[in-house]
Amino acid sequence: MSFPTIETGGVLHVPAEEGLVKWVSGDIYTIKATKSSTGGALGFVEAVVPPGAGPIAHAHKATDESFYLLDGALEFLDGERTFVAETGAFVFVPRLHRHRFTNIGGSDARLLFIFTPGGLEDLFIDGGDDPVPGGRPEPWGIERNQRIADIIERTGSIALPELPR
């Protein structure tokens, strides 16, 4: 019987409270794993979403996105319909599906999200803001998204803002 060769010394370990922190769309994102740190397999982000915050509606050309809600309540957009995900909920968004999330609660929501394959986290790394000690992130308007349009395009995302009703 033959066994495969087992590799050693290549496990990614990011301790608690570590990772690159960026402010994006009014949210606080801690990037725990990137395309480069996982051999392209995935990107992994821990997020804190203040009340009323969250990204504008968008889609990803070649990336699936999964969310796991640790705490709070988020309204998700799925195309034109909305639904509420609460603590313990899992949401999978296939590539090319229009989506967004908004914290509809009165306190910070916490969630994890995974990009497969990795690479989309570069949008946060390259386009996000560095945290300001003692500050809180401000929600982004459409003009802020326009300022990083080249990064949005390069990372395979498509901004699809909702129209006023």
Side-chain angles (χ1 to χ4, degrees):
M1 174 185 231
S2 139
F3 291 98
T5 303
I6 304 299
E7 299 293 326
T8 61
V11 171
L12 173 63
H13 171 234
V14 181
E17 307 301 322
E18 290 191 20
L20 177 64
V21 178
K22 289 290 188 169
W23 288 357
V24 179
S25 297
D27 304 340
I28 302 166
Y29 293 166
T30 302
I31 296 101
K32 298 287 195 171
T34 64
K35 178 181 179 178
S36 62
S37 68
T38 65
L42 60 91
F44 187 86
V45 178
E46 178 182 356
V48 175
V49 182
I56 65 169
H58 60 281
H60 308 297
K61 294 178 186 176
T63 304
D64 299 320
E65 190 170 12
S66 299
F67 301 91
Y68 182 76
L69 195 57
L70 298 169
D71 190 37
L74 297 174
E75 178 191 75
F76 276 83
L77 176 71
D78 172 22
E80 295 300 322
R81 85 175 178 103
T82 60
F83 63 91
V84 174
E86 298 178 313
T87 302
F90 174 79
V91 177
F92 174 75
V93 180
R95 61 195 70 191
L96 294 174
H97 281 70
R98 181 172 183 253
H99 65 286
R100 62 109 176 106
F101 57 84
T102 303
N103 181 348
I104 58 171
S107 59
D108 289 349
R110 294 177 39 250
L111 70 152
L112 304 173
F113 47 98
I114 299 172
F115 300 116
T116 50
L120 196 58
E121 67 282 353
D122 286 346
L123 174 61
F124 310 146
I125 295 167
D126 298 341
D129 299 319
D130 292 326
V132 175
R136 292 284 283 184
E138 293 292 325
W140 290 2
I142 191 68
E143 69 286 340
R144 178 59 206 293
N145 285 281
Q146 289 171 335
R147 285 198 336 243
I148 62 167
D150 60 326
I151 299 169
I152 292 170
E153 175 65 26
R154 177 174 46 84
T155 56
S157 291
I158 306 164
L160 300 166
E162 294 166 87
L163 299 174
R165 296 179 193 242

